[in-house]
């Protein structure tokens, strides 16, 4: 699969210290096909090719390049790359049946064909910008709505494979960096508190996954009986509260154990700069501590926390192997991960130079 240099997570101008990205997924099914679980291989293939046929139309409509492929024909490395940038889901990787993908050049927009539903329109926007993601997803949805016949009920809304997705078919989520809440042992309490607002806190790759590098997803749980606008506003309100709590805990942490935190952050930099072997889990934690240091102005690095977030993605197994253009076992990946981070770790800023994003 062709890869491109300018990906959505390279946009440092949109960087936010707590919200790494916002994403929207719209689940849709076509009235002329059985649901994916009931599709024959022939029907599934036909649907994939039907959807891939819209690639050039979407490119022309959006004014940028889109590409399409058969996901079930991709290598595991290619699939891992797409999971790591949140372009496809881990469930999509496991599919053996015919499945398709239409993807934008920067990988911020992906249209998954034959995952749980016929169509999943997924858009991810860097930073705290859910409106941008929803606007783009809605425009593509409108295009398909004019070209295809959706499964829709006046009573229940959009009909989906999973009953919990029916109604709007909208899943919206923010990717959050929550080091202070995690280190303070407050994540479980936070999960319980926000559940009262029909919002869930999940791991970095969604339901059932674990957090890595203090990163969590917060997303809506309710799709039926509420409007798209209500879902987005509710998620924004909850996220805004989480941001305030996280920032306050960071400030308190720096005040009370600032010297210990500073020592840990600078030690992390030294390990990342000179280590010869870095397992993925260790690298994520060390990078997360650097990001915390940049966000709390304990450490001044060129590119700031945005550059660290980019490294967090690029050093993942799939992207690492793609960058080095070779398949590796876990031991070799640990060595090459260390090498990659050694070479790409941001430099310290001179004292008279402002960090990225700050004005005079």
């Amino acid at each position: 699969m062709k890869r491109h240099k300018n990906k959505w997570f390279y946009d440092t101008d949109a960087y936010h210290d707590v919200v790494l990205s916002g994403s929207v997924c719209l689940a849709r099914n076509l009235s002329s096909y059985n649901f994916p679980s009931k599709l024959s291989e022939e029907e599934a293939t036909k649907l994939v090719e039907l959807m891939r046929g819209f690639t050039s139309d979407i490119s022309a409509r959006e004014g940028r390049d889109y590409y399409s492929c058969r996901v079930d024909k991709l290598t595991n490395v290619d699939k891992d790359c797409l999971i790591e940038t949140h372009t496809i889901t881990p469930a999509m990787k496991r599919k053996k049946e015919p499945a398709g993908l239409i993807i934008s050049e920067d990988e911020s927009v992906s249209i998954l064909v034959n995952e749980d539903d016929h169509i999943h329109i997924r858009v991810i926007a860097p930073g705290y910008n859910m409106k941008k993601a929803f606007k783009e997803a809605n425009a593509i949805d409108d295009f398909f709505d004019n070209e295809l016949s959706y499964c829709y009920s006046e009573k229940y809304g959009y009909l989906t494979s999973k009953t919990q997705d029916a109604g709007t078919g909208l899943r919206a989520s923010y990717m959050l960096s929550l080091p202070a809440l995690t280190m303070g042992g407050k994540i479980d309490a936070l999960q319980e508190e926000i559940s009262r607002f029909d919002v869930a806190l999940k791991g970095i790759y969604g339901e059932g996954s674990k957090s890595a590098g203090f990163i969590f997803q917060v997303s809506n749980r309710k799709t039926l009986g509420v409007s798209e606008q209500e879902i987005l506003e509710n998620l924004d309100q909850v996220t805004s509260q989480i941001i305030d709590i996280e920032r306050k805990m960071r400030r308190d942490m720096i005040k009370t154990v600032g010297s210990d935190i500073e020592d840990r952050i600078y030690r992390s930099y030294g390990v990342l700069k000179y280590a010869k072997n870095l397992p993925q889990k260790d690298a994520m934690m060390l990078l997360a501590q650097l990001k915390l240091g940049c966000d709390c102005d304990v450490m001044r690095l060129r590119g700031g926390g945005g550059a660290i977030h980019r490294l967090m993605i690029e050093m993942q197994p799939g992207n690492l192997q793609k960058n080095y253009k070779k398949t590796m076992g876990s031991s070799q990946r640990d060595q090459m991960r260390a090498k990659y981070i050694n070479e790409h770790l941001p430099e310290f800023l001179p004292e008279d130079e402002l960090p990225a994003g700050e004005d005079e």
Side-chain angles (χ1 to χ4, degrees):
M1 181 179 176
K2 191 174 181 182
R3 299 282 288 178
H4 301 273
K5 293 181 180 180
N6 296 318
K7 307 206 179 66
W8 65 264
F9 54 91
Y10 285 22
D11 184 0
T12 55
D13 290 340
Y15 178 74
H16 189 279
D17 62 314
V18 178
V19 183
L20 299 176
S21 61
S23 67
V24 164
C25 179
L26 297 175
R28 302 289 186 258
N29 287 284
L30 308 186
S31 59
S32 52
Y33 287 83
N34 291 321
F35 276 31
S37 61
K38 300 294 183 181
L39 282 177
S40 67
E41 184 170 346
E42 182 181 355
E43 289 173 319
T45 301
K46 184 179 177 182
L47 178 57
V48 168
E49 294 311 310
L50 168 69
M51 296 306 301
R52 289 184 65 188
F54 289 112
T55 306
S56 59
D57 294 324
I58 296 171
S59 294
R61 178 185 175 88
E62 297 292 306
R64 56 175 171 167
D65 290 333
Y66 277 75
Y67 306 88
S68 67
C69 65
R70 280 276 297 268
V71 177
D72 53 306
K73 302 293 185 183
L74 295 177
T75 66
N76 282 333
V77 169
D78 279 327
K79 292 176 186 177
D80 286 340
C81 283
L82 295 171
I83 290 171
E84 291 160 7
T85 57
H86 308 286
T87 303
I88 68 170
T89 61
M92 195 71 164
K93 177 184 177 179
R94 296 190 292 268
K95 281 190 72 74
K96 303 299 182 185
E97 301 80 11
L101 173 67
I102 302 172
I103 185 172
S104 64
E105 188 174 22
D106 66 353
E107 301 181 13
S108 66
V109 180
S110 56
I111 300 157
L112 280 57
V113 185
N114 284 344
E115 197 218 33
D116 289 331
D117 298 283
H118 293 148
I119 306 169
H120 278 182
I121 302 167
R122 297 168 60 90
V123 179
I124 187 166
Y128 196 11
N129 199 351
M130 186 68 75
K131 288 182 180 178
K132 179 177 185 292
F134 179 71
K135 183 179 179 180
E136 291 186 19
N138 200 43
I140 294 171
D141 184 40
D142 287 345
F143 167 73
F144 283 137
D145 195 20
N146 289 328
E147 300 290 332
L148 304 163
S149 176
Y150 283 154
C151 288
Y152 185 82
S153 162
E154 291 297 331
K155 182 177 181 180
Y156 297 110
Y158 293 102
L159 303 181
T160 55
S161 294
K162 295 179 178 178
T163 55
Q164 63 264 35
D165 292 334
T168 61
L170 168 63
R171 289 290 174 182
S173 65
Y174 282 115
M175 198 72 67
L176 306 179
S177 174
L178 304 176
L181 277 159
T182 306
M183 290 189 284
K186 302 295 185 182
I187 291 297
D188 289 344
L190 177 65
Q191 286 177 316
E192 185 176 348
E193 176 65 20
I194 66 175
S195 67
R196 299 190 298 113
F197 302 97
D198 290 313
V199 170
L201 197 66
K202 300 179 284 189
I204 188 170
Y205 296 120
E207 198 71 48
S209 67
K210 296 180 179 179
S211 166
F214 309 131
I215 297 174
F216 297 84
Q217 283 189 60
V218 61
S219 61
N220 66 297
R221 293 196 304 180
K222 192 175 182 180
T223 63
L224 185 62
V226 289
S227 69
E228 293 169 334
Q229 197 61 37
E230 287 171 330
I231 289 171
L232 297 175
E233 287 177 358
N234 181 59
L235 184 62
D236 268 344
Q237 288 174 5
V238 172
T239 301
S240 177
Q241 293 298 311
I242 295 174
I243 292 169
D244 289 344
I245 295 168
E246 170 65 25
R247 284 177 170 170
K248 182 181 185 304
M249 289 191 67
R250 290 182 190 183
R251 291 193 297 270
D252 292 345
M253 183 173 62
I254 295 298
K255 284 180 182 177
T256 56
V257 290
S259 59
D260 289 341
I261 292 293
E262 184 176 6
D263 182 66
R264 187 188 306 178
I265 290 166
Y266 276 86
R267 283 175 183 269
S268 295
Y269 189 92
V271 173
L272 289 166
K273 187 64 179 176
Y274 298 108
K276 300 303 177 187
N277 190 299
L278 278 173
Q280 179 183 348
K281 184 178 179 180
D282 294 350
M284 277 294 284
M285 181 55 68
L286 294 166
L287 287 168
Q289 291 178 163
L290 288 198
K291 182 182 177 304
L292 174 62
C294 292
D295 294 339
C296 293
D297 206 25
V298 171
M299 174 178 281
R300 293 160 50 89
L301 298 178
R302 194 171 299 281
I308 301 302
H309 178 228
R310 173 174 166 175
L311 260 183
M312 284 178 164
I313 295 176
E314 291 179 333
M315 68 84 184
Q316 300 291 327
N319 278 277
L320 189 70
Q321 291 174 92
K322 204 70 178 177
N323 281 326
Y324 282 111
K325 298 180 180 178
K326 63 178 180 179
T327 303
M328 311 174 203
S330 59
S331 295
Q332 188 180 13
R333 285 201 304 269
D334 291 349
Q335 294 171 15
M336 298 309 289
R337 180 178 294 109
K339 180 177 186 293
Y340 188 86
I341 293 175
N342 293 167
E343 295 172 351
H344 292 84
L345 197 64
E347 298 174 350
F348 285 97
L349 280 174
E351 287 298 322
D352 59 348
E353 187 173 338
L354 288 171
E358 293 191 13
D359 299 322
E360 295 285 351

